[in-house]
Amino acid sequence: MKLLIIVILQISVLLLLTKAKQIPEYKALLSIKSSIIDDPLSSLSSWNDKTHHCTWAHITCDDISNRHVISIDISGLNLTGTLSSDVGHLRFLQNLSVGANQLSGKIPPEISDITGLLSVNFSNNVFNDTLPLEFAKLKELRVLDLYNNNMTGELPLTVTEMPELRHLHLGGNFFSGEIPVEYCKWEFLEYLAVSGNELTGKIPPEIGNLTTLQQLYIGYFNAFDGGLPPEIGNLTALIRLDGANCGLSGEIPKEIGKLRNLDTLFLQVNDFSGQLTKELGNLSSLKSLDLSNNVFTGEIPDSFNMLKNLTLLNLFRNKLHGAIPDFIGDLPNLEVLQLWENNFTGSIPEKLGMNGRLKTLDLSSNKLTGKLPSDLCYGQKLETLITLGNFLFGAIPESLGSCESLKRIRMADNFLNGSIPKGLFSLPELSQIDLQGNLLAGEFPETDKVISVSLGQITLSNNKLSGSLPASIGNFSGMQRLLLDGNEFSGKIPREIGRLKQLSNIDFSHNKFSGQIAPEISQCKLLAYIDFSRNELSGAIPTEITNIGILNYLNLSRNHLTGSIPALISSMQSLTSVDFSYNNLSGLVPGTGQFSYFNYTSFVGNPDLCGPYLGPCKDGKHKKHGLSASTKLMLVIGFLVCSIIFAIAAIIKARSLKKASESRAWKLTAFQRLDFTSDDILDCLKEDNIIGKGGAGIVYKGAMPNGQTVAVKRLPVMTRGSSHDHGFNAEIQTLGKIRHRHIVRLLEYAYTLKVDEKSDVYSFGVVLLELVTGKKPVGEFGDGVDIVQWVRKMTDSNKEEVIKVLDPRLPSVPLHEVMHVFYVAMLCVEEQAVERPTTREVVQILTELPRPPNSTQDDSIITDSSAQSSNQSPPADLLSI
C-alpha cells in the first residue's frame, strides 16, 4: 500500500512538472516571432498579446473550440532569423510551413513533441546540420519537405521510422553517401526527391519495392555509379522520373518499358550509351522525353511511332545518325522537337507542323538536306525555329511571313536561296532573325510603321542581298544588333538609322554603300561597335560621331573618305580600336589621348595623313628637325644617369623581394580532403594550359594524377612579388567557409567547359537579374529552371515587361533605370557567347543611363496609385542599392 502511494505521488509530481514547463500557445507563437530578426513586409505585425492568437495572420485554429492552433503557414514572407524551439509547445499542430524564407540554424528537435504533425515544410531556407533524431517520434507525418537548404551528412535514416510518409523531399542540400537500402521500404510513399545533393554509389535495386511511388527525382549534382537498375521497371505507378545530370551510364534497361503510367522521363546530361532502347516506345502515357547530352548512337527506333501523347522530344547532343523518321511529323501532340548536334541526314519530315501544335523546332548542326517544310507554323503556335548549320536549300517558306507567334528564327549557314518572305520582319512577337551564310537575294524588306519592340537582332551577313536600305529601317525601335555585312547593298545609309536608340552593334562592311556617313548615327547613344569598312562611302567623317559616349570599335577602312580625322576622337575614352586605313584622309593625326593607343596600321593607305609613325606633313608645319650635337650629348648623359638610378633601385627591390619570399613560404590551404599536392598544381602553370585571362589573374586547366580536372587561378601580383594580395587570401578563406553550390554555377558552361571573359559577363548578368528581381539564381523556380530561364519566360527578354519580375521591395526606383539595368542584364546572358558584350562594353553601357521619358513623375517611377509629393527627394539610383 505504501509502495502504491509513493508511485502515485511520483506520477503526480511528474505531471505537475510537465504542466509547469508547458507554456500557452500564444506565448509559443510570440517566441517564434521574437526569433525572427527581420520581417520586411511586417507580415507578423498582428501577432501581439492584445488580440486572441486565433485571429492572427497565418494562423489557423481548430473548428470546434477555436482555441488550439492546428496550422502555421508563414512561408514566402522573406523572414530572416531562426525557428524557436518553443514551436514544440503547439501540441495540437498538424501543419507547419515555414518555406521560402531566410531561416537558418538547426531544426529544433522539440518539434518531435508534436506527435500529431501531418505536414512539415522547411524548404527554401538555410537550415543546416541534419534532421534531428527525435523526429523518429513523428509516426503520423505524411509530408516532409527539406528542399533547398544547407543540410549535410548522409541521408537521414530518421525518416525511415515514419511509416505514414507520402511525400519526402530532401533535394537541393549537401547530403552525401549512398541512397540507403532502408529508403526502399515505405509502404505508402508517393513522392521521393534526393536530387541536387552530393550522393554517390549505385542506385539500390531495392528501389523497385516502392510500388506506390508516383514521382522520383534523383538527378542534378549527384554522381552515381552505373546506371538505372532493371528493377526500376517495378515502379508501375510512376508518373515522373527525373534522373538528369547525375553520372548515370550504360544502356537504358529494357524494363523501363513497363512504366505505362510514366508521362515524364528526364535522363539528360549523363553518360548513357548504346542505342535508344526500343522498349521506350511502350510508354504510351509519355508526354516529355529528354535524353539529350548523352552518348547514344544509332537511329531513332521505329517503336517511337507509338508515343502518340508525346509533346516534348529532346535528343540533342548525342551521336545519333540516319534520317529523322517521317512518323515524327505525324505525332499528333508534338510541341517541342530538339535534335541539334547529331549526325542526322536526309530531309526534314514534310508533315512536321501539320499537327498545329509545334512551338519549338531546333535541328541545327546536323547534315540535313532538302527544303524546309511549308507548314511548320500551321497552327500559328511556332515560337522558335532553328535549323542553322545544315545543308538545306530552296526558298524560305512564304508561310513563315504570316507566322505571328514566331519569336526566334535562325537558319544561318545553309544554302537557302530566294528572297526573304514578305511580312517576316513585321511579325509582332519576333525578337531575333539570323539568316547569315546563305544564298539569299533580293532587297531588304519594307516594313510597316509598327514593328515588334522585341526585335533586337537582325543578322543577314554573307548573302547576296542587294538594293538600297529603305527608310523604314528606322522603325525597328528595339534593334540592338544590325548585321548586314558581306552583301551587295548599295545607295546611301539612310539617316533614319538614327532612330534606332537601342542599337549597340552595327556592321555594314563588305557592301557597296555610297555617299556620306549619315551624321544621324550619332543619335544611337548605345552604340559600341561600328563597322562600315569596305564600301564606297565618301565625304568627311562626321564630327557628330564623337558624341557616342560608349563607342568601343570604329572601322571605316577601305572607303573613299576625305578630310581630316576629327580631333575630338582623342577624347573618346571608351574607344579602344579604330581603323581609318585606305581612304583619302589628310592632315595631322593627333598623338594624344586615345590616339596614343592606336597602331599606325589604323592610318596606312592615306597618302596625305601625317603625324606619329606616318612621317612629316607636306606643308612643312609639322616637319621633323634634326637634333643638335649638344642636345644629343645631353640625352646620352641623361640616359646614363637614369640607367644608374634604375640599377640601384632594382638591387634594393631584389633584396626586399628576397626577404619577403623568405618570410612567405608556399602554403596550400585546403578546405576539403584533396588527392593532389601543391607540386601537382604548380605543374599545371603552363602556357598551353591557359583557359582564361582577366584583370584578376590567369586561369589554367589542370589534370591531377587521380584524373580529376581542376581550374587554377594565378594572380598577377604573385608574379611581381608584391606582398599585397589584393584581398585574395580573404576571398579564399570566405569561399572555404561558405557551403553552397550556387556561388559559381556555370549553367551552359557545364556542357562546353569553355570559361572566358564572356562567361564572366554571363555571371555578371545573373547578378544583375538577382538585383532586379530580388530572387536567388536557382531554387525558386522548380528543378532544372534558373533565374535566366524564368525571366525569359516571364518577359520574353523585353525590357518593357520588367515590371512582371521586379522585386516588390523596389517601389520607388525610376522605371527607366530598372529597364536599363534589365536591358544590360539580358545582353549579358545571351545564349550565344559571341552575342554578349565585353566587360568594358558592359561598364560603359551601365554608366550611360538614359534620360527619363518626358512624362510626369508618376509615369516614370514604379509606385502605387497614391501620388508622391513634388518636393520629395529623387528616388535612389538602382545601381546604388
Side-chain angles (χ1 to χ4, degrees):
M1 186 69 179
K2 290 182 179 179
L3 179 62
L4 179 62
I5 293 173
I6 292 173
V7 170
I8 292 174
L9 287 173
Q10 287 179 335
I11 293 174
S12 300
V13 170
L14 288 173
L15 289 173
L16 288 172
L17 290 174
T18 302
K19 190 172 183 180
K21 290 182 180 179
Q22 185 73 23
I23 65 174
E25 290 188 350
Y26 80 92
K27 285 190 175 181
L29 292 172
L30 291 177
S31 177
I32 293 174
K33 179 182 179 181
S34 65
S35 67
I36 303 298
I37 61 176
D38 186 25
D39 179 6
L41 303 177
S42 299
S43 303
L44 306 184
S45 59
S46 64
W47 292 27
N48 58 74
D49 53 10
K50 296 180 181 180
T51 56
H52 194 275
H53 63 276
C54 285
T55 65
W56 297 351
H58 315 292
I59 298 296
T60 302
C61 290
D62 63 293
D63 294 330
I64 300 176
S65 66
N66 198 33
R67 293 174 51 207
H68 298 301
V69 177
I70 61 173
S71 176
I72 299 177
D73 186 357
I74 55 174
S75 57
L77 303 181
N78 204 26
L79 304 174
T80 301
T82 59
L83 184 58
S84 171
S85 60
D86 286 337
V87 67
H89 292 288
L90 302 172
R91 299 299 173 85
F92 295 88
L93 198 64
Q94 298 176 10
N95 171 61
L96 175 61
S97 183
V98 299
N101 287 294
Q102 292 292 323
L103 302 180
S104 58
K106 297 182 180 180
I107 294 174
E110 290 80 2
I111 293 177
S112 62
D113 293 333
I114 315 173
T115 55
L117 264 180
L118 300 177
S119 175
V120 177
N121 180 7
F122 295 134
S123 65
N124 292 295
N125 281 286
V126 280
F127 290 115
N128 55 33
D129 203 29
T130 190
L131 197 67
L133 294 175
E134 292 84 351
F135 268 49
K137 295 190 298 183
L138 301 178
K139 302 299 184 182
E140 301 298 322
L141 199 65
R142 264 73 164 173
V143 175
L144 178 59
D145 194 339
L146 289 170
Y147 171 66
N148 197 25
N149 281 279
N150 286 347
M151 311 295 286
T152 56
E154 296 187 345
L155 289 173
L157 291 176
T158 305
V159 297
T160 64
E161 300 185 46
M162 303 173 182
E164 299 296 326
L165 267 185
R166 267 71 168 175
H167 182 111
L168 177 61
H169 201 332
L170 303 177
N173 285 282
F174 294 92
F175 290 119
S176 56
E178 301 183 2
I179 298 178
V181 175
E182 291 82 354
Y183 272 43
C184 305
K185 298 180 179 180
W186 281 292
E187 186 178 354
F188 306 109
L189 195 67
E190 299 174 354
Y191 183 107
L192 175 61
V194 295
S195 52
N197 283 289
E198 298 174 353
L199 302 177
T200 55
K202 293 187 176 181
I203 298 174
E206 291 83 357
I207 201 168
N209 297 333
L210 300 174
T211 54
T212 60
L213 201 62
Q214 297 179 15
Q215 299 187 54
L216 176 61
Y217 302 88
I218 59 176
Y220 307 103
F221 297 103
N222 294 320
F224 296 114
D225 297 327
L228 292 173
E231 289 79 3
I232 201 79
N234 296 336
L235 305 179
T236 53
L238 205 62
I239 296 175
R240 293 185 180 178
L241 172 57
D242 190 344
N245 194 11
C246 60
L248 296 174
S249 58
E251 297 185 359
I252 297 178
K254 62 181 181 180
E255 288 79 4
I256 203 167
K258 299 178 182 179
L259 308 181
R260 300 299 177 93
N261 292 310
L262 199 68
D263 74 5
T264 300
L265 178 59
F266 287 163
L267 297 176
Q268 68 269 23
V269 197
N270 282 296
D271 293 313
F272 284 112
S273 57
Q275 297 191 350
L276 294 174
T277 306
K278 64 180 181 179
E279 283 76 11
L280 288 169
N282 297 333
L283 305 179
S284 54
S285 300
L286 199 63
K287 294 180 180 179
S288 298
L289 176 60
D290 195 336
L291 304 177
S292 61
N293 282 276
N294 281 284
V295 201
F296 289 115
T297 56
E299 302 183 7
I300 297 177
D302 292 338
S303 61
F304 277 31
N305 183 38
M306 303 302 295
L307 302 177
K308 302 299 184 182
N309 290 308
L310 203 62
T311 62
L312 179 147
L313 178 59
N314 283 349
L315 300 177
F316 58 87
R317 278 188 169 149
N318 279 285
K319 296 184 178 180
L320 300 170
H321 64 264
I324 301 175
D326 286 337
F327 65 74
I328 295 293
D330 296 325
L331 294 176
N333 295 294
L334 191 63
E335 297 178 2
V336 177
L337 178 63
Q338 299 191 100
L339 307 179
W340 48 280
E341 283 194 20
N342 280 284
N343 292 305
F344 288 116
T345 55
S347 58
I348 301 172
E350 183 63 30
K351 294 183 179 180
L352 192 61
M354 284 290 290
N355 65 357
R357 303 174 66 94
L358 192 63
K359 294 181 179 179
T360 300
L361 177 63
D362 192 340
L363 307 177
S364 58
S365 301
N366 280 285
K367 298 175 182 177
L368 297 171
T369 58
K371 298 182 178 182
L372 289 164
S374 57
D375 294 308
L376 291 173
C377 191
Y378 182 78
Q380 289 293 312
K381 294 183 179 179
L382 186 65
E383 297 177 359
T384 302
L385 175 58
I386 305 177
T387 63
L388 59 87
N390 282 285
F391 300 94
L392 300 173
F393 54 82
I396 299 175
E398 288 293 328
S399 59
L400 292 179
S402 58
C403 182
E404 295 192 351
S405 58
L406 198 59
K407 296 180 179 179
R408 297 177 63 212
I409 178 169
R410 304 190 66 192
M411 298 179 175
D413 301 323
N414 282 282
F415 295 91
L416 300 173
N417 54 31
S419 59
I420 298 173
K422 183 180 179 181
L424 186 64
F425 285 14
S426 301
L427 295 176
E429 301 293 330
L430 204 60
S431 64
Q432 181 185 21
I433 298 175
D434 184 1
L435 302 176
Q436 67 176 329
N438 282 287
L439 303 174
L440 298 173
E443 298 185 349
F444 191 96
E446 285 273 3
T447 55
D448 301 327
K449 292 184 179 181
V450 180
I451 300 294
S452 170
V453 295
S454 301
L455 184 53
Q457 177 176 338
I458 294 180
T459 304
L460 303 177
S461 309
N462 301 316
N463 278 284
K464 295 185 177 181
L465 298 167
S466 60
S468 59
L469 295 182
S472 60
I473 199 170
N475 295 338
F476 297 100
S477 59
M479 188 60 57
Q480 301 165 19
R481 297 168 61 87
L482 182 58
L483 311 180
L484 307 181
D485 54 295
N487 282 283
E488 299 175 7
F489 289 115
S490 58
K492 295 182 178 181
I493 296 176
R495 63 182 183 181
E496 287 79 8
I497 207 82
R499 291 162 52 189
L500 307 183
K501 305 299 184 183
Q502 304 299 321
L503 198 62
S504 64
N505 189 318
I506 184 170
D507 191 345
F508 286 2
S509 62
H510 289 79
N511 278 286
K512 298 178 181 179
F513 288 111
S514 58
Q516 295 185 340
I517 298 174
E520 287 81 5
I521 196 171
S522 64
Q523 299 171 14
C524 305
K525 300 298 184 181
L526 297 180
L527 264 177
Y529 184 103
I530 298 177
D531 192 345
F532 288 165
S533 63
R534 297 180 182 272
N535 279 286
E536 299 173 6
L537 299 172
S538 58
I541 300 173
T543 56
E544 292 87 350
I545 208 168
T546 60
N547 295 327
I548 306 177
I550 65 172
L551 190 62
N552 178 254
Y553 179 92
L554 176 62
N555 190 345
L556 304 178
S557 65
R558 299 186 183 274
N559 280 285
H560 307 299
L561 300 174
T562 57
S564 60
I565 298 174
L568 287 176
I569 289 180
S570 63
S571 63
M572 298 177 68
Q573 296 183 1
S574 63
L575 198 59
T576 59
S577 178
V578 299
D579 193 346
F580 300 116
S581 63
Y582 300 100
N583 279 284
N584 296 317
L585 299 171
S586 59
L588 175 66
V589 176
T592 59
Q594 292 301 105
F595 281 94
S596 61
Y597 297 101
F598 302 149
N599 193 289
Y600 80 98
T601 56
S602 298
F603 309 102
V604 298
N606 292 277
D608 294 329
L609 276 182
C610 58
Y613 308 110
L614 297 174
C617 294
K618 293 182 179 180
D619 59 7
K621 293 181 180 180
H622 305 281
K623 183 178 180 181
K624 294 181 179 179
H625 297 282
L627 298 176
S628 64
S630 60
T631 303
K632 291 179 180 179
L633 179 61
M634 292 299 295
L635 288 175
V636 171
I637 294 174
F639 176 76
L640 290 174
V641 172
C642 291
S643 299
I644 294 171
I645 294 174
F646 176 79
I648 295 173
I651 293 172
I652 296 174
K653 184 65 174 179
R655 290 178 178 176
S656 65
L657 291 180
K658 183 178 180 182
K659 292 180 180 179
S661 62
E662 290 174 352
S663 64
R664 296 176 67 202
W666 169 266
K667 180 181 179 182
L668 176 65
T669 303
F671 298 97
Q672 57 184 354
R673 183 177 61 84
L674 299 175
D675 295 327
F676 50 83
T677 65
S678 57
D679 290 334
D680 297 325
I681 294 294
L682 291 174
D683 289 341
C684 302
L685 306 184
K686 301 176 182 178
E687 189 73 20
D688 294 340
N689 292 345
I690 293 178
I691 58 175
K693 294 182 179 181
I698 303 175
V699 181
Y700 299 82
K701 178 182 179 182
M704 298 296 100
N706 62 356
Q708 184 179 4
T709 301
V710 299
V712 182
K713 187 174 184 179
R714 180 181 184 182
L715 290 186
V717 293
M718 295 179 181
T719 63
R720 299 194 296 266
S722 171
S723 60
H724 180 39
D725 67 1
H726 294 269
F728 178 70
N729 188 56
E731 177 185 353
I732 292 300
Q733 294 289 342
T734 302
L735 290 176
K737 295 175 183 176
I738 296 175
R739 287 183 54 80
H740 204 284
R741 66 177 54 85
H742 304 315
I743 292 175
V744 178
R745 188 182 184 192
L746 300 181
L747 305 166
E748 64 186 71
Y749 303 105
Y751 296 154
T752 65
L753 297 180
K754 183 179 180 182
V755 182
D756 53 16
E757 181 194 24
K758 292 305 180 73
S759 59
D760 290 337
V761 169
Y762 187 97
S763 300
F764 181 68
V766 173
V767 172
L768 290 181
L769 290 179
E770 291 182 68
L771 174 67
V772 171
T773 65
K775 295 184 179 294
K776 301 176 184 178
V778 291
E780 300 186 33
F781 320 105
D783 282 342
V785 179
D786 56 38
I787 191 171
V788 177
Q789 295 167 321
W790 177 74
V791 166
R792 284 192 181 126
K793 180 180 179 180
M794 295 294 293
T795 67
D796 287 333
S797 301
N798 185 356
K799 67 180 182 180
E800 281 76 16
E801 301 294 326
V802 68
I803 193 70
K804 294 181 179 179
V805 298
L806 185 66
D807 189 341
R809 294 171 296 178
L810 303 176
S812 59
V813 176
L815 179 58
H816 74 283
E817 291 187 11
V818 176
M819 291 170 61
H820 184 67
V821 173
F822 180 77
Y823 161 72
V824 176
M826 298 313 292
L827 285 180
C828 293
V829 297
E830 282 282 353
E831 292 183 0
Q832 300 295 323
V834 295
E835 296 176 0
R836 300 174 200 146
T838 64
T839 306
R840 186 185 185 99
E841 290 171 346
V842 170
V843 174
Q844 290 289 340
I845 298 173
L846 277 176
T847 55
E848 291 288 329
L849 280 173
R851 293 181 179 180
N854 295 326
S855 57
T856 63
Q857 188 181 31
D858 291 336
D859 291 334
S860 61
I861 295 178
I862 305 167
T863 182
D864 54 22
S865 57
S866 59
Q868 300 181 10
S869 59
S870 59
N871 59 356
Q872 277 187 311
S873 59
D877 190 302
L878 180 62
L879 297 178
S880 66
I881 294 175

